[in-house]
Amino acid sequence: MRSQRRRVRALLKELGLPPHPTLAELHAAYEARTRRTLRLIERDVAPGEPTGTYEQYLTQDRIYYPEHTSPAHQLLVICHELAHLLLGHIPRHHAIDPAVVRRVLGRSHYDDPTEHEAETIGTLLYQQLNLAPDVGPAARIAPSLVHREGRHV
Ligand SMILES: [Zn+2]
């Protein structure tokens, strides 16, 4: 775990970020570094459905995160998906909420090593993030979404 923590710090440093960036800073640095657009998209998730997903298009990456959940959980899902992208995982299937896996399968490990890696790195990334008090992750996510969509909410 200690070496994984170092790995997360190295990832942030590579992106030119301070040790505890905000999600907005991380978002901007990811786009600058990859020269790709990253869209964080909130969506309604039915019970039992995967909470998060990421998709890669020609010049754009998309992270889907659940609408009806706590801001902390939203951020955790985003960090998990972002970990996939930062680690260069090829999107293969929908991400599964680790809590659901534990509940359904009674274990915390995945057969898919990239899922396990994203779970570890994503969780550490989440812990590294600067969560400004009084400002929920959704509040920081929303403006960038509005901006990108070119519409008002
Ligand atoms: Zn995943």
Side-chain angles (χ1 to χ4, degrees):
M1 205 63 167
R2 190 180 291 267
S3 68
Q4 294 295 72
R5 207 175 289 277
R6 264 203 298 272
R7 203 167 154 209
V8 169
R9 286 204 203 98
L11 275 171
L12 293 173
K13 205 172 166 186
E14 241 174 74
L15 289 167
L17 288 166
H20 301 285
T22 62
L23 178 63
E25 287 173 330
L26 180 57
H27 191 165
Y30 177 87
E31 290 189 326
R33 175 59 183 262
T34 60
R35 299 179 184 217
R36 297 167 63 78
T37 305
L38 174 62
R39 291 184 57 204
L40 304 178
I41 302 162
E42 199 176 64
R43 65 162 188 188
D44 194 15
V45 177
E49 266 185 358
T51 53
T53 319
Y54 68 110
E55 294 173 348
Q56 293 200 286
Y57 296 86
L58 223 50
T59 60
Q60 188 182 97
D61 298 318
R62 292 182 189 172
I63 288 176
Y64 296 89
Y65 64 95
E67 186 180 2
H68 301 292
T69 188
S70 67
H73 185 227
Q74 288 183 324
L75 190 57
L76 189 58
V77 170
I78 289 168
C79 285
H80 175 99
E81 304 307 329
L82 207 52
H84 277 301
L85 292 170
L86 288 169
L87 296 167
H89 293 165
I90 314 285
R92 271 186 293 181
H93 53 74
H94 289 199
I96 298 166
D97 187 334
V100 172
V101 172
R102 270 191 290 275
R103 205 156 56 232
V104 174
L105 304 175
R107 61 193 167 89
S108 61
H109 287 200
Y110 298 94
D111 290 330
D112 184 346
T114 63
E115 279 312 318
H116 181 65
E117 193 180 25
E119 186 189 352
T120 308
I121 297 297
T123 302
L124 290 171
L125 191 60
Y126 170 80
Q127 291 168 358
Q128 282 291 120
L129 283 187
N130 170 16
L131 307 176
D134 306 320
V135 185
R140 289 197 298 276
I141 293 160
S144 67
L145 265 182
V146 174
H147 193 70
R148 262 169 240 298
E149 299 287 346
R151 62 180 163 80
H152 298 280
V153 174

